[in-house]
Every structure is written in structure tokens, then in C-alpha cells.
Amino acid sequence: MADRVTPGSAAARALYPITETTIFANHCAASPLSRRVTEAMGDWLNWWQLHGGRDDLERPFDAWRQNFATLIGAQPQEIAFTGNTSEGLLLVANGFPWQAGDAILTADGEFVANVYPWYQAELQGVEIIRLPLRENVLHLDQIETALRDHPNIRLVALSFVSFLTGQQLPLAALGALCHQYDAYLSIDAIQGAGAFPMDVGASQVDFLSAGGPKWLMGPIGAGFFYCREALLPMLRPRHHGWLSVDDPSRYLDYHRPLSETASRFEPGTSPWLSLVGLNASVKTLHEVGIDAIAAHISLLGDTMRQGLTARGYELALPDDVLRGGIVAFRHAERDATTIVQALDSHHVTTSAREGWIRFAPHFYNTVDEVERTLALL
Ligand SMILES: Cc1ncc(COP(=O)(O)O)c(C=O)c1O
């Protein structure tokens, strides 16, 4: 019997050929693919090459929806397939029933993907309120004060984990706060989904969007969107296409009602090949267990932070702030890009953003790899 795939184990590393050549710690950019992902996609392509589209083609969409739903504590009928994070955020920005005078609360330091969609709402007279960070950190009390001072805030739009600092927002506390002040909550989850547990039901998250290529370790081209079931009638599908309806196989009935599930947000054929790969990856993440993955990533992050502090590097976040999988750091005298390039020349992959170096390992990385990286710094 094959060895169990556990965080940092030989079995885990064997799934990722990149471990043979590289210390890869850039999952905040795009993950390398596992053997299982490329095999699943290869099998699918080979099958397609031999058979093409057939009426009896198996369509495993329900199982895939369940896969994503389990990841975030949702129901499969609350999941729509997308091509990336932005599509999900735009579904909210363009479909929410805005009224002039409404406001959206967001924060400085958000990745641009969670900025431009809200300008669509601004065009409809919606105000955008952007909270400043305090020493790189967004505090819940800032959000509470804003919600109290601006009763017109209808939506809070934030990232689960910051792409830049790695700060993780406590979703349960955030969701409770939003609902206390009658605001809806939209989460850009791409920097955390697959690495840290989420429970959209318990946390009262209303909308959630994530692309597959980062911590979900899928190929480029697929992602998912979650809409709380009770809000499906409220969020108008602006891209109403032939697959948005109930039973699209009634081809000549041109007045089908909208699907009662989140599939109403899928106008046409989904990015099938990328979804094959992404689902193979999500299955592996479930097999390892998101709690175990989170604990392992946190251990690697703590080890890195301690070593960086000992070497005189500055960390973006203080110790008492909840973190995701990104350790962001910098050096007083050496610029971030130079350090990233120096690491790269030793086959350690990281990335530089806005003067910070991001070190972002996943479940197959090891403490030994962290220590070898530190030795280069
Ligand atoms: C927080 C965040 N959201 C979204 C994205 C990417 O958006 P999309 O999946 O639409 O390309 C990134 C990519 O770096 C990100 O860091």
C-alpha cells in the first residue's frame, strides 16, 4: 500500500516533482502542479483525443461542486465554477442590488483584483470607503468603528489572507461584526483557500471568490464562487447565458427559469480541463486534511520568522497578528528583488512585492528546506 500523504512526508514530496530541484516557496504567486494533477489532465486529454464530445459523456460537475463546498463549509448548490477570482468578485459587484448612497468598506493593501470590480458599483453611485492599515495590520476595531460611523455600508469586501503581509482575517469575528451592522461580507479567498480552514456557514460569509492556481495548487484557468443560498435570488446574474437556466437541455424552450442554484452564474461551458486538474488537487488537499496543512504551514512560517529575526530582517507582521501562509520580510540595506534573485540562483523560489520578500511554503515543504533557505540569508 502506498504511504499516506501527510504534511512534509516523503509521500507528499513524491507528488511534486519540483521538490527534486527546487525549494519552492511561492505558492502566493502560483503553485507547481502535482503528478496527480498532470495525470488527471493528461488522461482527460487522451480520452478526449480518442472520443471527442459524446452524448453519454460523464459530467462530474456535482462531485466537483461538493469538493469545493467541503473546502469552505458550504453546500454544493452554493458553488459556481469560474475561471479565476475576479469573475466571482465581479458577480457581486455587478449583481448586487445597489442603491445610490450605499457604501462598500474595504482596506488599503488589498490586491488589485479586489479593487477594480468595486469601481463598477461606484459607477452606480456607491461610495468606496478604504481603511488605512496601522503598521501593516488591519484591526477589527477599525472595521467596527467604520461600520458604526457609516450605516450606509452595505458590503464589506476584504481578502481572507493579505497577498502582501500574509495577515489572515478572523472570518468568524468579521462575519459576526458585518451582520451586527447589517452589512454583507464578500471574501477574496485565493490567498488562503486550500491552506487554512474556512467555514462560510459558521462565519456568516455571504460571497466568496477564489482562483485555483495558488494554495489550491490547481492549473491556471479555473476557480470557484460561493454565494450563500438565501442570497441567490438577490444577486442578479448579469451574465445570463444558456447554462444559467434550469435544465438547459430543453434547447428550444427559450424561456427557461433561472437555475435555483449557483449554477445560474455560469453562462456557458466551464473551463473543463482546468477543473479536472483543480479537482484532482483539491482531492489531495482533502486527503491530507486542511487542518493538518494549516498546522504544518504555520510551523514552517514560525520557523522562518524566528530565523529571519535572528538574522536582523524586518517582518511585515508582529507576532500577535493572525497569519496565513505568507511570511513577508525585508532587509534594511538590501532590496527585495536582489534578495529574491540571489535565492533563485540557489534554486529557492520566492517573490518580491512592494519592497517585501514573500516566502510562502505549502504542505509538501519541510523545516529542513526553511533552514536551508535561512542559511542563504
Ligand atoms: C488577493 C488576490 N486576489 C486575486 C488574485 C488574482 O486574481 P485572479 O484569480 O482573478 O487572477 C491574486 C493574485 O495574485 C491575489 O493575491
Side-chain angles (χ1 to χ4, degrees):
M1 206 175 92
D3 286 343
R4 251 193 85 210
V5 180
T6 55
S9 64
R13 295 178 68 71
L15 291 180
Y16 294 86
I18 198 167
T19 56
E20 291 161 22
T21 57
T22 308
I23 297 178
F24 188 88
N26 201 19
H27 297 89
C28 52
S31 174
L33 300 178
S34 80
R35 291 183 199 281
R36 289 182 183 170
V37 169
T38 49
E39 273 166 26
M41 293 174 79
D43 288 351
W44 189 86
L45 284 173
N46 287 335
W47 191 94
W48 202 262
Q49 187 174 53
L50 293 176
H51 304 282
R54 292 170 48 92
D55 273 2
D56 60 358
L57 192 65
E58 196 199 339
R59 291 175 166 78
F61 298 131
D62 289 344
W64 293 348
R65 279 185 221 283
Q66 181 64 62
N67 235 356
F68 290 129
T70 306
L71 202 62
I72 60 166
Q75 301 297 319
Q77 66 274 20
E78 297 175 312
I79 301 292
F81 305 127
T82 60
N84 50 50
T85 321
S86 301
E87 279 180 26
L89 295 168
L90 283 160
L91 285 168
V92 181
N94 288 321
F96 194 89
W98 303 112
Q99 291 174 0
D102 286 348
I104 297 170
L105 181 68
T106 182
D108 282 349
E110 281 293 327
F111 187 75
V112 273
N114 196 27
V115 173
Y116 287 104
W118 310 118
Y119 294 160
Q120 299 296 317
E122 207 176 24
L123 294 174
Q124 298 175 52
V126 173
E127 180 191 2
I128 296 175
I129 302 171
R130 195 168 285 126
L131 291 172
L133 303 184
R134 292 202 308 244
E135 293 176 354
N136 302 331
V137 177
L138 180 64
H139 295 269
L140 276 189
D141 65 81
Q142 293 177 271
I143 299 171
E144 173 148 34
T145 305
L147 286 166
R148 202 177 45 227
D149 292 351
H150 301 273
N152 58 334
I153 293 173
R154 296 286 309 284
L155 185 85
V156 174
L158 293 167
S159 289
F160 177 37
V161 173
S162 159
F163 85 104
L164 193 54
T165 65
Q167 180 185 1
Q168 179 185 156
L169 293 180
L171 285 189
L174 179 62
L177 206 52
C178 291
H179 286 261
Q180 184 187 337
Y181 288 92
D182 288 332
Y184 295 95
L185 178 58
S186 164
I187 292 294
D188 173 342
I190 193 174
Q191 290 291 4
F196 288 84
M198 274 179 283
D199 188 334
V200 288
S203 307
Q204 306 182 64
V205 174
D206 298 300
F207 313 108
L208 182 146
S209 313
K214 297 184 193 286
W215 302 87
L216 293 171
M217 310 180 92
I220 285 172
F224 73 96
F225 171 65
Y226 150 85
C227 175
R228 176 190 298 288
E229 190 168 21
L231 303 182
L232 286 169
M234 180 186 86
L235 196 67
R236 196 172 142 202
R238 293 279 171 175
H239 293 195
H240 181 163
W242 76 280
L243 284 178
S244 306
V245 303
D246 180 49
D247 193 358
S249 68
R250 291 165 69 172
Y251 301 106
L252 293 182
D253 178 351
Y254 296 161
H255 296 281
R256 301 293 310 148
L258 268 175
S259 150
E260 291 194 347
T261 74
S263 75
R264 59 174 53 196
F265 301 116
E266 297 164 1
T269 307
S270 290
W272 203 332
L273 174 61
S274 296
L275 282 169
V276 166
L278 181 55
N279 276 278
S281 183
V282 172
K283 267 165 72 179
T284 298
L285 298 175
H286 284 316
E287 178 185 326
V288 182
I290 302 295
D291 287 334
I293 291 173
H296 185 73
I297 292 174
S298 299
L299 168 73
L300 300 180
D302 289 347
T303 309
M304 187 68 183
R305 284 169 59 88
Q306 280 163 19
L308 288 167
T309 306
R311 284 165 175 76
Y313 287 86
E314 181 193 350
L315 299 172
L317 295 179
D319 283 342
D320 59 356
V321 169
L322 186 63
R323 292 188 308 276
I326 304 169
V327 175
F329 63 98
R330 66 186 173 193
H331 191 270
E333 277 130 41
R334 294 168 62 210
D335 92 4
T337 307
T338 312
I339 293 173
V340 166
Q341 284 167 354
L343 288 173
D344 197 50
S345 70
H346 289 93
H347 309 288
V348 178
T349 308
T350 58
S351 47
R353 293 287 184 278
E354 303 292 320
W356 295 97
I357 301 136
R358 302 184 304 175
F359 181 83
H362 213 311
F363 78 93
Y364 64 84
N365 292 109
T366 61
V367 171
D368 175 62
E369 287 184 311
V370 175
E371 283 166 355
R372 278 159 51 207
T373 305
L374 284 167
L376 297 168
L377 291 163

